[in-house]
Amino acid sequence: MTDTLEGSTNEAEQLARWQRFRENRNNALAEEHGWLTLTSLQWLTPEPSPVELVPGLWSTSESVGLETAVLTAHADEGLVFDEEGDPVDGTFSAHLSNEESLNWVRYGTIVVELAMRGGRYAIRTRDSQSPTRTEFRGVPVFDYDPAWVIEASWEPYPEPREVPISTANPLVDGVHRSAGEVVFHRNGREYRLQAEQGRLGDLTITFHDETNGRTTEDWRKVTTARPRPDGTVTLDFNRTINYPSAFTPYGTCPMPVRDNSLDLAVEAGEKMLDDE
């Protein structure tokens, strides 16, 4: 009886932690200028040009080997710098490295994010009044299932490997920095998934599985805590989430590396946004 009670208590605690995770996840998605608010992705060119949804002339410029994004606007057009709130009045430039982003200016309810993707400058508009945000009621998910909490092992590579990958945007190439493999067993079989490792040692796995295109998006990701000193790690597929590209056509999210395709139906974590 004691073992049963302890097991029930542990599962109840896991469920409660997962419910808090889901609440935090939905709150983060619904932030004022979060991923649900993207309304455009527009590439900048060397010729100063107007763009959709916000005023000003936008372009790129290169001098002394340094490429910058350039914005020219007058104070009466209504653009203000995001942090300071000062009017944009004149010509201003900003420099980013590849994969960096900057919330540069605002226009009413819109924040303009400057981004460098695939070696090119783009802007993405983020409108807090986007219907995707205002009508959001949470991401549909599979019910919590403790059977999808799996003890796995971490096998790091001697050195990280940079693997070319595609992204959600066909104009943007990506790189997966594979730090090693997470190894787990399911239904008597061994599976290996390449993972990227964060600064705090956490592991992020981007993968395909057999639910894709039916009840889930074309790919998803799951993040683990830092592996334990003995190399073990808990892989909780209940915490699998969608990339931003599941909610917007303006994402440049990374696809899985070729080997991260599971011949399993991972019926855990987030589903398609419109899945009942």
Side-chain angles (χ1 to χ4, degrees):
M1 179 64 71
T2 300
D3 290 343
T4 302
L5 288 174
E6 287 178 354
S8 299
T9 301
N10 185 53
E11 287 187 14
E13 290 175 352
Q14 288 181 332
L15 175 60
R17 286 196 294 269
W18 177 76
Q19 290 171 332
R20 290 193 295 271
F21 168 81
R22 291 303 322 155
E23 181 179 1
N24 292 337
R25 163 69 170 164
N26 286 325
N27 289 340
L29 282 171
E31 287 180 351
E32 185 180 13
H33 289 102
W35 290 115
L36 299 182
T37 67
L38 291 182
T39 52
S40 76
L41 170 65
Q42 304 175 69
W43 299 100
L44 304 187
T45 66
E47 180 68 26
S49 306
V51 297
E52 297 179 358
L53 304 178
V54 294
L57 296 177
W58 302 76
S59 61
T60 61
S61 178
E62 185 171 354
S63 62
V64 198
L66 183 67
E67 186 174 20
T68 60
V70 180
L71 166 62
T72 300
H74 300 293
D76 60 6
E77 292 182 277
L79 286 171
V80 299
F81 288 105
D82 182 55
E83 287 192 5
E84 303 88 348
D86 297 330
V88 179
D89 192 13
T91 298
F92 300 86
S93 63
H95 170 72
L96 298 177
S97 298
N98 202 34
E99 299 302 320
E100 287 186 336
S101 295
L102 167 70
N103 285 346
W104 198 8
V105 297
R106 288 178 180 254
Y107 180 66
T109 61
I110 297 173
V111 163
V112 181
E113 172 199 358
L114 178 67
M116 170 69 87
R117 297 292 184 272
R120 301 171 61 193
Y121 279 107
I123 62 166
R124 289 196 289 207
T125 51
R126 295 173 177 256
D127 189 346
S128 62
Q129 296 306 303
S130 165
T132 306
R133 174 178 182 256
T134 59
E135 298 173 8
F136 179 65
R137 299 296 180 267
V139 186
V141 295
F142 291 98
D143 291 338
Y144 179 82
D145 184 352
W148 281 109
V149 182
I150 300 172
E151 288 303 304
S153 59
W154 170 236
E155 296 184 4
Y157 298 143
E159 296 291 338
R161 304 171 183 175
E162 293 196 348
V163 182
I165 56 172
S166 299
T167 73
N169 188 310
L171 298 177
V172 178
D173 294 327
V175 174
H176 186 277
R177 295 171 179 83
S178 299
E181 298 176 4
V182 173
V183 184
F184 68 98
H185 292 82
R186 183 81 174 177
N187 301 329
R189 288 189 55 190
E190 179 183 274
Y191 293 92
R192 292 176 171 268
L193 294 170
Q194 294 181 43
E196 293 189 303
Q197 189 161 32
R199 291 192 300 272
L200 299 179
D202 52 299
L203 306 174
T204 297
I205 302 165
T206 302
F207 67 95
H208 293 292
D209 73 271
E210 292 188 344
T211 65
N212 296 164
R214 296 190 292 110
T215 54
T216 66
E217 297 296 333
D218 289 341
W219 68 92
R220 298 179 291 164
K221 69 176 178 178
V222 62
T223 298
T224 77
R226 182 188 187 97
R228 305 177 187 94
D230 65 357
T232 59
V233 63
T234 300
L235 182 58
D236 187 352
F237 281 106
N238 293 288
R239 297 191 177 215
T240 299
I241 64 173
N242 295 327
Y243 271 99
S245 53
F247 310 107
T248 172
Y250 307 116
T252 57
C253 306
M255 292 184 178
V257 295
R258 181 178 301 175
D259 293 337
N260 278 18
S261 295
L262 297 172
D263 57 353
L264 289 172
V266 180
E267 295 180 324
E270 292 186 350
K271 299 181 179 181
M272 291 178 176
L273 192 60
D274 58 356
D275 190 78
E276 296 296 333

